[in-house]
Amino acid sequence: MNSVELISSEEHHATLEMPHPIVIYSRTVLNGMLLDRARDAGCNLQRSRVMSVDTTTAKPRYCVEGEWKEADFLVLAAGARNQLVPETRALQRDELEMTQGYFVPQTRDAITIKFLPQFEGYIWSFPRCDHLSVGICGSMSSHSSTELRGHLQDFVEKHGIRRRGKVLQPRAAVA
């Protein structure tokens, strides 16, 4: 993709041409690349379930399979509801966003991002090699899944996107 189209809530359009194309990776490929780079940089990767973390000592400690280990630093990929670090808490509804989207078996040349009036969130159309990822995200405390679905359907129809693909189910995501 060599361009991004931004559409304001008042329907003003701006197209940004980019001298270098953007590459969009699947989550699986991106995660693998990040792990490879960390390993190449000298990180010791341990694929285990961390049961507890202690950040009260000079160096952080973590418990794996009943054994406490010490590290210079920790990088935790524990998700939005991280209960491992005592000073964290589960996210509240007003801190979450809901997403809905479609896997559409067609392609486009540009990324499209559309903002809506009086709406906390946005609609996207991200071209992939063999399909479009088209979706919407919005604040769970401000919008219902029915509202998101309606906005997304309007966008799909207005932009001539043939929605014969797999429908993704609504889910909560980190804001």
Side-chain angles (χ1 to χ4, degrees):
M1 280 103 0
N2 291 316
S3 65
V4 175
E5 179 185 26
L6 300 174
I7 307 169
S8 76
S9 58
E10 293 84 27
E11 292 295 326
H12 299 291
H13 293 245
T15 300
L16 308 170
E17 298 296 332
M18 298 174 295
H20 304 287
I22 289 178
V23 179
I24 299 176
Y25 295 101
S26 71
R27 175 53 64 185
T28 302
V29 170
L30 179 61
N31 287 351
M33 289 171 51
L34 292 172
L35 288 173
D36 289 345
R37 285 187 179 185
R39 193 177 300 110
D40 292 346
C43 289
N44 177 20
L45 301 177
Q46 183 172 347
R47 291 182 177 258
S48 300
R49 185 175 179 95
V50 175
M51 302 308 293
S52 188
V53 172
D54 177 9
T55 58
T56 62
T57 58
K59 288 189 172 187
R61 299 181 328 135
Y62 61 99
C63 183
V64 175
E65 299 171 3
E67 181 183 343
W68 283 94
K69 299 181 179 195
E70 188 177 83
D72 292 328
F73 63 91
L74 293 175
V75 176
L76 295 174
R81 290 186 166 87
N82 179 359
Q83 297 296 312
L84 291 174
V85 181
E87 55 270 11
T88 64
R89 61 171 174 71
L91 295 173
Q92 303 301 308
R93 183 175 177 81
D94 65 340
E95 297 172 305
L96 296 173
E97 290 192 347
M98 181 177 3
T99 62
Q100 294 186 21
Y102 303 114
F103 174 101
V104 181
Q106 69 184 79
T107 59
R108 298 271 166 108
D109 292 330
I111 294 171
T112 303
I113 300 173
K114 174 164 181 31
F115 300 93
L116 301 167
Q118 307 300 312
F119 187 85
E120 294 180 38
Y122 60 92
I123 298 173
W124 72 83
S125 173
F126 294 150
R128 304 292 289 275
C129 294
D130 61 349
H131 70 279
L132 289 176
S133 170
V134 181
I136 186 170
C137 64
S139 167
M140 283 185 67
S141 63
S142 302
H143 310 293
S144 69
S145 61
T146 302
E147 181 183 4
L148 266 66
R149 192 170 23 263
H151 286 307
L152 184 56
Q153 184 59 36
D154 291 345
F155 175 85
V156 164
E157 289 173 5
K158 183 174 181 177
H159 288 83
I161 298 171
R162 296 178 309 278
R163 188 181 58 106
R164 285 181 281 150
K166 175 174 72 174
V167 177
L168 305 177
Q169 296 301 313
R171 63 180 188 262
V174 178

